[in-house]
Amino acid sequence: GSSKLRGSWTQLDYTARQESPQTFTFGDETFFIGDPVTTRVKGSLYTADFQYDFVRRREGYMGFYIGALFLDSDSVIVSGTKQVAQTGHVPLPMIGMSGRTYYGRRFSFEGEFAYGTIGSRGSGWLASFTMRFHLSDRLAAVGGYRRLSLKGHDDRDSVDVKLSGWLFGGEFSL
């Protein structure tokens, strides 16, 4: 097997509109069931991992990893004349599995799944599926889909976040 350090950064910019499925409080405002609510989350998602590949062949690899996810976000909820903004920082230790298969010299497909918990205060999971076009041994263009789910609470607040969407970017390997 072999090991590697991994890291990623993803910019977040999600907006959703719907009728509130339940009454809830965000900041100092209460939003009632049926209220039309617009939510916007902007920020960044960072990951850092140590991965050990227990299978590594010319056709691809499969490995386990341990690391952390850090969500740094600004959230705004608007309904009628009510508007509440909050900043959140969520660190979460993660353990996961990643695998990649190569098709010729230029294309590869990768999937990964990770789960993390902070005990009774919360948990989360992250799944992604990506395709890469390898420009060289160290540089690739990346496209795919990612889904993140976080649930947590403390004394006063709770969070239930589900973010998903297409991702595009580049990858540089050392």
Side-chain angles (χ1 to χ4, degrees):
S2 66
S3 59
K4 58 187 153 196
L5 294 175
R6 305 175 345 142
S8 71
W9 166 77
T10 304
Q11 184 176 6
L12 303 175
D13 190 355
Y14 291 91
T15 301
R17 293 172 186 85
Q18 73 173 43
E19 287 187 3
S20 177
Q22 63 188 26
T23 298
F24 68 96
T25 300
F26 185 72
D28 294 329
E29 295 285 349
T30 298
F31 299 85
F32 297 97
I33 190 168
D35 284 352
V37 175
T38 300
T39 304
R40 182 153 193 195
V41 177
K42 289 185 79 168
S44 295
L45 175 67
Y46 303 92
T47 64
D49 317 304
F50 172 79
Q51 179 169 323
Y52 176 75
D53 296 333
F54 59 89
V55 173
R56 186 158 189 90
R57 298 191 177 119
R58 195 181 56 159
E59 298 88 4
Y61 65 82
M62 179 72 68
F64 288 107
Y65 63 86
I66 187 165
L69 172 150
F70 184 76
L71 176 65
D72 180 21
S73 65
D74 295 316
S75 303
V76 178
I77 296 182
V78 178
S79 180
T81 60
K82 299 176 190 175
Q83 179 171 322
V84 181
Q86 287 189 347
T87 298
H89 309 286
V90 180
L92 186 63
M94 303 290 280
I95 186 167
M97 187 169 190
S98 173
R100 184 183 295 179
T101 183
Y102 295 95
Y103 294 92
R105 291 186 57 223
R106 297 284 181 203
F107 288 97
S108 68
F109 293 91
E110 182 174 338
E112 72 177 84
F113 179 81
Y115 176 80
T117 182
I118 47 177
S120 64
R121 293 189 60 211
S123 63
W125 60 267
L126 175 71
S128 66
F129 302 95
T130 56
M131 183 181 89
R132 286 168 174 74
F133 177 73
H134 299 269
L135 302 167
S136 71
D137 289 347
R138 305 252 180 237
L139 187 63
V142 181
Y145 191 79
R146 177 180 280 168
R147 172 127 176 133
L148 170 67
S149 177
L150 297 172
K151 287 186 177 188
H153 63 87
D154 60 18
D155 294 335
R156 194 189 107 160
D157 298 319
S158 66
V159 64
D160 185 357
V161 175
K162 293 175 181 66
L163 302 174
S164 60
W166 296 102
L167 62 95
F168 302 96
E171 176 183 82
F172 178 70
S173 304
L174 299 175

